[in-house]
Amino acid sequence: MKQLSHAATAVACANIAFIKYWGQRDAHLTLPTNGSISMNLDGCLTETTVQCLPEAVEDSVWLALSGGEEVQAKGRQFERVIQQIERLRQLAGVSERVEVRSRNNFPSDAGIASSAAAFAALTRAAAAAFRLELDEAELSRLTRLSGSGSACRSIPAGFVEWFDDGTHAGSYAAQIAPPEHWNLVDIVAVISTEAKHVASTSGHSVATTSPYFPVRLEGIEQRLADVRQGILERDIQRLGQASEADAMSMHVIAMTAHPATMYWLPGTLAVMQAVQRWRVQDNLQSYWTIDAGPNVHVICEAKDAPEVEARLCELDAVQWTIVNGAGPEARLVG
Ligand code: DP6
């Protein structure tokens, strides 16, 4: 067995999906039923340090709260982190215990999928701490296996596609375009800070029980093509229309699965309608998308972002906003 005693620190962005991952072919391997496309969020970062401790007999995981104070992870949260560490340990052929320390630069109650940033940063840092030489695709596959599938899209930089060919080898994320390709902005309109009541994992597992699931899949290749082209041609209308349609389709699946889940609150609908009204009445080109929660991500070009943000802040439903540009890859720091 190799003896290690060093540490590695990695930073990764959360990401917002324009075409959603919703439903799995294989829960064990986290293989999705469809490909998905996202943008890394440069304002929503997780920093994680993995320190190898040759003398220690146990692993430990520490998570920083918004105020900076650290708490020791327990139960399921601890197990998920250590399962991923164990996967990388086995690959590297090492046995050292580790101490993991992680913190977000955005409020954990903002309803942003922090697990994507967290598992991307964890996998990047652990691979370096265990001296694994992995290319981007292999890092992305390993990140996917953490169970937080969308995290594999936080490994490459900028605008990213997670391919799906139904196999482990073919299920990884790669860059469509670098962050500097397009000044696209994602403004998160925070409607509620309550933790989501139904985890994405449950949503994935029941997605196929919706009678509309085949309809969602029928249209997905066209929406993927539109989003891909929209990004490459910097065409906000093409990107926005396809991503609104895809988010709507994902939520229809959630609302009509067994059991059904309604992620929206009245404020969610208020923002969706306002965004559509601004487009029709004022030709303000912004589009909404929504993950498995009530908060709304509003996508627009940087030139329109101040106007869109000011209007969002005037809505009673919006508590505050977080503005993101396209972010970098999961990378080692320090
Ligand atoms: C709605 O299983 O990747 O965000 O691990 O809970 O973050 P968490 O989610 P995951 O499902 C993501 C679902 C989604 C759509 C998407 O990001 O593609």
Side-chain angles (χ1 to χ4, degrees):
M1 286 285 172
K2 293 182 224 166
Q3 284 295 309
L4 303 171
S5 61
H6 65 284
T9 299
V11 173
C13 301
N15 67 73
I16 181 66
F18 301 134
I19 300 294
K20 308 289 184 189
Y21 152 47
W22 200 248
Q24 297 164 329
R25 298 173 190 276
D26 183 324
H28 180 63
L29 290 176
T30 319
L31 296 179
T33 34
N34 60 268
S36 53
I37 297 181
S38 59
M39 176 178 106
N40 282 353
L41 303 180
D42 70 356
C44 299
L45 308 173
T46 299
E47 183 180 287
T48 300
T49 300
V50 175
Q51 167 86 56
C52 295
L53 301 170
E55 309 297 322
V57 290
E58 277 183 358
D59 295 310
S60 61
V61 178
W62 295 86
L63 305 173
L65 302 175
S66 306
E69 182 201 342
E70 286 188 316
V71 289
Q72 194 160 6
K74 300 224 158 30
R76 187 73 196 115
Q77 211 173 25
F78 173 78
E79 282 164 24
R80 282 193 70 190
V81 171
I82 296 307
Q83 269 168 14
Q84 184 67 350
I85 289 286
E86 196 48 43
R87 184 172 283 118
L88 285 132
R89 250 192 311 238
Q90 281 184 12
L91 198 62
V94 298
S95 59
E96 276 78 5
R97 300 297 100 184
V98 294
E99 184 181 78
V100 177
R101 291 187 180 270
S102 193
R103 64 186 173 86
N104 294 340
N105 78 336
F106 56 100
S108 54
D109 58 2
I112 293 163
S114 53
S115 53
F119 281 101
L122 176 72
T123 307
R124 187 75 195 83
F130 300 152
R131 299 214 166 106
L132 279 166
E133 304 252 334
L134 303 170
D135 65 18
E136 187 183 83
E138 191 50 28
L139 259 177
S140 178
R141 283 187 203 97
L142 276 168
T143 304
R144 188 196 86 233
L145 290 173
S146 70
S148 177
S150 58
C152 79
R153 295 190 311 242
S154 287
I155 295 293
F159 301 87
V160 173
E161 177 158 4
W162 174 9
F163 307 114
D164 160 57
D165 69 356
T167 69
H168 168 68
S171 188
Y172 64 94
Q175 183 178 89
I176 296 176
E180 60 278 12
H181 167 72
W182 194 9
N183 273 339
L184 200 67
V185 173
D186 170 54
I187 307 174
V188 187
V190 178
I191 306 298
S192 165
T193 56
E194 271 179 38
K196 61 182 161 196
H197 54 106
V198 181
S200 303
T201 320
S202 318
H204 296 307
S205 66
V206 299
T208 53
T209 65
S210 163
Y212 301 104
F213 197 66
V215 180
R216 167 164 170 74
L217 293 186
E218 252 171 51
I220 205 106
E221 288 306 325
Q222 185 58 53
R223 291 196 296 276
L224 279 164
D226 282 335
V227 166
R228 228 177 269 132
Q229 274 317 105
I231 290 168
L232 291 173
E233 291 166 13
R234 301 185 194 90
D235 181 342
I236 182 75
Q237 215 167 327
R238 189 158 180 188
L239 169 84
Q241 283 172 359
S243 55
E244 268 191 12
D246 192 75
M248 188 68 96
S249 150
M250 180 207 118
H251 284 271
V252 165
I253 301 305
M255 287 175 208
T256 53
H258 305 286
T261 303
M262 161 67 93
Y263 287 105
W264 302 349
L265 291 174
T268 312
L269 204 56
V271 176
M272 292 158 77
Q273 288 179 322
V275 167
Q276 276 166 344
R277 194 170 57 242
W278 300 336
R279 262 196 332 255
V280 174
Q281 290 177 0
D282 312 321
N283 194 29
L284 184 59
Q285 288 295 309
S286 60
Y287 295 83
W288 53 260
T289 184
I290 306 163
D291 278 343
N295 298 327
V296 185
H297 291 248
V298 181
I299 314 297
C300 62
E301 291 185 288
K303 67 178 171 53
D304 293 323
E307 176 69 20
V308 173
E309 197 203 0
R311 289 188 185 207
L312 285 170
C313 290
E314 275 172 20
L315 298 176
D316 289 342
V318 177
Q319 296 190 12
W320 79 83
T321 56
I322 303 173
V323 180
N324 300 278
E329 72 280 16
R331 62 210 183 278
L332 295 173
V333 294

